[in-house]
Amino acid sequence: MRREVKYLALAAILTALSIGLDLVIKNLIPVVDFGLPYYAVPLIIGGVVLGPIYGGIMGFISDYVGFMLAPRGSYVILFGLSAIFWGMIPGLLIKYKSNIYVITIALLITHIMATLSNTIALWLIASEKTALGSLAIRLPMLPLNVIILTFVTYGLNKRLEPVYDGFMVKKF
């Protein structure tokens, strides 16, 4: 099988998983201006295995399709930047045999960038009060989210090491 077909198939599967996780979480916690980034786990894995470009594209598709399946207002690409960051930044910083410290730092940087892009989007679309109010809720959750995402990503990386060899691309 050609490498591109394998990459596209894996990217499609991981993107579908991300969309499914996002929809489940949005239905469990139906708050408009707030979300949990656990949909990002398949995007992170996709970025690590397939590279940052695939990860970023997966993030955009995941965000857009997820919005179309469960719309809340109008689609705004600025919110999609956070999903793109969740696929792209780990793809740049994490290798499939990275230790837990590298993964933690990469996911902390990614979460900060995603939070910043969502805050800017809320500021531009809604208001300063909405953006800062949402930020006040999201910032205290950031360390807990990073810890959970780190352990999930590290655990998956360890379990998937034998599978990665057939998919790995050279990092820049």
Side-chain angles (χ1 to χ4, degrees):
M1 186 184 314
R2 290 184 55 187
R3 181 176 279 209
E4 294 83 15
V5 174
K6 285 176 26 177
Y7 286 5
L8 287 174
L10 182 61
I13 290 167
L14 292 171
T15 302
L17 283 170
S18 175
I19 293 166
L21 281 171
D22 192 32
L23 292 176
V24 167
I25 291 169
K26 282 180 182 175
N27 286 319
L28 290 176
I29 305 171
V31 180
V32 175
D33 295 329
F34 180 72
L36 296 172
Y38 303 123
Y39 70 90
V41 172
L43 302 176
I44 294 165
I45 298 299
V48 171
V49 175
L50 302 172
I53 294 171
Y54 271 93
I57 292 169
M58 289 168 50
F60 171 74
I61 292 170
S62 170
D63 183 68
Y64 186 75
V65 172
F67 173 82
M68 290 301 160
L69 293 174
R72 295 179 179 179
S74 302
Y75 182 75
V76 178
I77 188 64
L78 290 174
F79 290 111
L81 283 177
S82 66
I84 292 168
F85 289 153
W86 280 114
M88 192 168 58
I89 295 172
L92 289 169
L93 301 178
I94 300 173
K95 308 267 188 276
Y96 76 102
K97 291 187 178 185
S98 290
N99 65 40
I100 199 159
Y101 302 110
V102 171
I103 293 171
T104 302
I105 290 169
L107 295 183
L108 179 63
I109 291 167
T110 304
H111 204 327
I112 290 169
M113 294 299 295
T115 299
L116 180 63
S117 72
N118 285 335
T119 302
I120 291 169
L122 278 173
W123 191 307
L124 294 173
I125 292 160
S127 69
E128 177 182 346
K129 277 182 156 180
T130 303
L132 295 177
S134 176
L135 184 62
I137 295 169
R138 289 183 284 128
L139 276 182
M141 296 205 46
L142 193 141
L144 178 64
N145 287 334
V146 169
I147 291 168
I148 292 169
L149 289 170
T150 295
F151 282 108
V152 170
T153 301
Y154 181 75
L156 285 172
N157 267 346
K158 281 294 184 196
R159 294 187 193 281
L160 294 173
E161 277 182 13
V163 177
Y164 284 173
D165 292 330
F167 283 98
M168 291 309 295
V169 296
K170 293 187 179 190
K171 299 289 180 177
F172 308 112

